[in-house]
Amino acid sequence: MAATLTVDCRKTFPGRFTAAAQLDLPLDPPRVLILFGPSGSGKTTLLRCLAGLEWPDEGRIQFGSTTWIDVAANIRLSPQARWIGYMPQDYALFPTHTVTGNIEYGLSDLPTAARQERVRELLALLQLQGLEQAKPAQLSGGQQQRVALARAIARRPQLLLLDEPLSALDAPTRAKLSGELRALLTQLAIPAIVVTHDWAEALTLGDVIAVMGAGQVLQVGVPQDVFSRPANAEVAKIVGIETVVRGHVVTNDNGLATVSVKGTTLKGLGADVSGSAVYVCIRAEDVLLEQAGSGITSARNHLSGLVTEILPQGVLVTVTVDCGFPLRAMITRGAREDLGLERGSTVVAAIKAGAVHLVPRSG
Amino acid sequence: MNWIAIAVTFKLALLTAAVLLVVGLPIAYWLTFSKRRWKFIVESVVALPLVLPPTVLGFYILVAIGPHSPVGRFYSDVVGHPLPFTFEGLLLASILYSLPFAVQPFAAAFAQVDHRLIEASWTLGVSKFKTFFRLIVPLSTAGLITGAVLSFAHTLGEFGVVLMVGGNIEGETRTVSIDIYDEVQALNYAGAAKTALLLLAVSYGVLLLVYAMNRKVWAIWPQR
């Protein structure tokens, strides 16, 4: 049987909430699991249970053949004994130590020469050369993030746990570093669990995503599938992005990108996109539906297609239009009646370029 | 000035501060990080010398180390002479008397160390013991120096405990404060004034050091 990380545990914070998680992550080949959800959904609690910094009230966590915790059998493996790399949200760099001191902190068992060699490797890998003697307070946010990553991976951990690895950064740096982080995770080939509440990060970084809400794991799957086919209304509300399709950037003119999706051409904002392979992400509420042949609008994208599905949801209706790819639009019941929409109707979907989000993907 | 008394006093204060720097660390660590419900009992015991009259504290120490107590008998069996009215007895009393002056600044400094840093150290495979010396102590230097300096200064000026436990033996247990008292009793105000001024100057200098350090006025430190 292939090695698996099995989590089945529960922790109650009296008077606040109960976090319960059940999931399995195959460890071979190494994958990146995203814990996705709004704040307070229990993502960080689960990550801390995995790190050994929080003890569940019941249940067990099994990593391959090692039991990390089994409350019933009274087994509790300390964080020191788990051989993990953990990066908390604000990095928790040691202020009294230099960049080198931080990176080699967990390497004191190595002989001096091997330790120095490993630090040199990591400084090169994370482009930190020249900053060896700097203290954390002298570094930019992006540099601090890289030092924290270098420190977490220095011991070659068997599992990497990253809590909101990019959230402390400003938006342009975040976009740049999320691509770098994905490349690094692929290169390291260590199973990783990444907590985030940002769907673009989830798509860029994750092989598998677990959507969490109110302390529960609600759906597990490939990010693109989970985003475009949420298991229930709760997941749909949490992910909040109804159309996710693969596309290729054809041209990128000063940040206004032309993208090809299964033969259909779309315009979207791609200032942060460097490669050609992207996910095209569109929220249903950003899609306008109009009758074919109406006038010119400011929207850059007008896609004509057939209505394939109509799902009433309260006062709103989710309409799926086949424009070469399934596009979801959210309109009111009244609008549906005025347009006379039924399955098989022809309709034009209008989307502003600014509502077409392009997220880089690998391959 | 009675230079012998001054030498005894400084020797006593230095040794007291040094011993407390070693003994106070584990006590302060336990008081800061333990989650035991009965922690307050130990906290109260450690703080007791702050409120107890020195004569009362001295009396109990004298009884506890005297020839009729098991501790006192054991000591005199091993060493060959009883503990009261010796420098060693005085040192033990000074350590107990100054315990809160060391432990409280230590514990306050430990409590200010961001717990996320400590957790990060654990996840890097570093034991709790090593984390203490490699991370918590370097982050608490100001508190450690404050505790050591305060226990030094506090020992310099102790009177009641010295009189009860140490007596007044020249070159052994006769400290500066006892000397000043004796000078005044002998109506030698000029002699008392000189020694008192020295004690005042040293105490003031020590406190200047502590307060200056806690305000981080030493710009040579990296956090500035």
Side-chain angles (χ1 to χ4, degrees), chain A residues 48 80 90 93 105 108 155, chain B residues 116 119 121 124 126 134:
Chain A
R48 287 173 57 80
Q80 286 92 341
D90 49 10
L93 293 175
Y105 187 87
S108 48
R155 296 198 307 149
Chain B
R116 288 166 298 186
E119 290 181 344
S121 172
L124 290 165
V126 178
R134 293 182 58 190

Side-chain angles (χ1 to χ4, degrees), chain A residues 291-326:
Chain A
Q291 273 174 338
S294 10
I296 297 167
T297 71
S298 66
R300 292 292 82 199
N301 299 295
H302 296 268
L303 310 174
S304 151
L306 288 179
V307 174
T308 57
E309 192 182 32
I310 297 178
L311 269 181
Q313 290 179 331
V315 293
L316 296 172
V317 186
T318 304
V319 180
T320 307
V321 183
D322 180 6
C323 329
F325 60 92

Side-chain angles (χ1 to χ4, degrees), chain A residues 6 26 34 69 71 87 102 121 127 158 186 193 204 208 219 225 245 247 252 272 292 298 331 350:
Chain A
T6 309
I34 302 287
I69 182 148
V71 177
M87 185 170 119
N102 268 280
E121 263 172 47
Q127 297 151 38
Q158 51 180 350
T186 310
I193 300 180
T204 307
V208 190
Q219 188 178 358
D225 294 348
V245 286
N252 196 341
D272 303 326
S298 66
I331 58 173

Side-chain angles (χ1 to χ4, degrees), chain A residues 10 70 80-81 117 124 137 148 174 200 202 209 213 255 345:
Chain A
R10 174 187 293 271
D70 188 336
Q80 286 92 341
E117 178 55 32
R174 191 157 63 219
I209 185 169
S345 307

Side-chain angles (χ1 to χ4, degrees), chain B residues 9-10 12-22 25 94 98-106 140-158 199 201-214 218:
Chain B
T9 306
F10 274 82
L12 180 68
L14 273 175
L15 283 173
T16 302
V19 171
L20 280 174
L21 199 51
V22 177
L25 288 183
S94 297
S98 288
L99 193 60
F101 288 84
V103 169
Q104 286 194 341
F106 293 174
S140 310
T141 39
L144 298 187
I145 296 173
T146 301
V149 166
L150 281 181
S151 50
F152 174 82
H154 187 235
T155 308
L156 278 189
E158 70 181 57
L199 208 55
V202 171
S203 302
Y204 183 62
V206 157
L207 289 180
L208 276 181
L209 186 74
V210 168
Y211 285 104
M213 224 173 38
N214 283 343
W218 290 352

Side-chain angles (χ1 to χ4, degrees), chain A residues 164-198:
Chain A
E164 302 269 7
L166 303 165
S167 69
L169 305 170
D170 55 274
T173 315
R174 191 157 63 219
K176 181 171 162 282
L177 287 190
S178 75
E180 287 180 19
L181 183 57
R182 170 77 239 190
L184 181 72
L185 290 174
T186 310
Q187 189 185 347
L188 291 172
I190 302 171
I193 300 180
V194 181
V195 163
T196 183
H197 64 271
D198 181 312

